[in-house]
Amino acid sequence: CKAIIFSPPYSQFISSTCCIMSRDKVMIDQYSRYQQDRTNPKNLGNLPEFRFNYAMKAVYQKCLESLTPGGHLALLIKDTAAPGGKTNSLGWNHMQMLGQAGWEMAEWCQWASPGTQFRAIHQAAGHHTIDSEHIIIVRRPV
């Protein structure tokens, strides 16, 4: 193929105390698929960060092998809020993994992602929120 577009999972996404899904248990109940995925050992989102990063490097390598030379991969990813008002720079972390897998940078930008009711609630409560999303486009070397 010539292009891949995706948004990767997040390490320990469903079980994390900093994600929206765990803040609002009602959301988990509404989406039974998430309930099933929580315990599936094949779900990358259940892995601790180190193992998750190792698995994602393999995913990025397989994507590279799947594309024709000059093909592109577009990655949509949002940084996450960390305790103490800090930010987990997932865009930077994934760009490093992509580079290690052999990808070349084509374009990297950020955009103000649309707000959700969850963001508005957390902003009103004074919590640190992430208001932008990375769009990272890499190219398979020719």
Side-chain angles (χ1 to χ4, degrees), residues 117-133:
Q117 74 246 20
F118 295 109
R119 186 189 311 163
I121 290 168
H122 292 291
Q123 285 175 335
H127 298 147
H128 173 54
T129 60
I130 307 297
D131 301 327
S132 64
E133 186 173 54

Side-chain angles (χ1 to χ4, degrees), residues 11-77:
S11 170
Q12 298 177 329
F13 176 69
I14 294 173
S15 63
S16 173
T17 57
C18 68
C19 79
I20 291 172
M21 295 303 291
S22 65
R23 288 186 198 142
D24 190 350
K25 297 297 183 190
V26 173
M27 289 295 292
I28 292 175
D29 294 337
Q30 290 177 354
Y31 298 100
S32 62
R33 182 175 63 84
Y34 290 121
Q35 290 285 16
Q36 295 166 359
D37 289 346
R38 292 176 78 181
T39 56
N40 186 335
K42 294 181 181 179
N43 181 349
L44 296 183
N46 288 328
L47 297 176
E49 187 175 0
F50 178 81
R51 290 184 54 217
F52 171 82
N53 290 343
Y54 186 79
M56 283 307 299
K57 286 178 194 173
V59 168
Y60 291 141
Q61 183 63 45
K62 291 293 184 188
C63 288
L64 183 80
E65 294 167 6
S66 299
L67 290 179
T68 58
H72 289 83
L73 179 140
L75 179 71
L76 306 167
I77 191 164

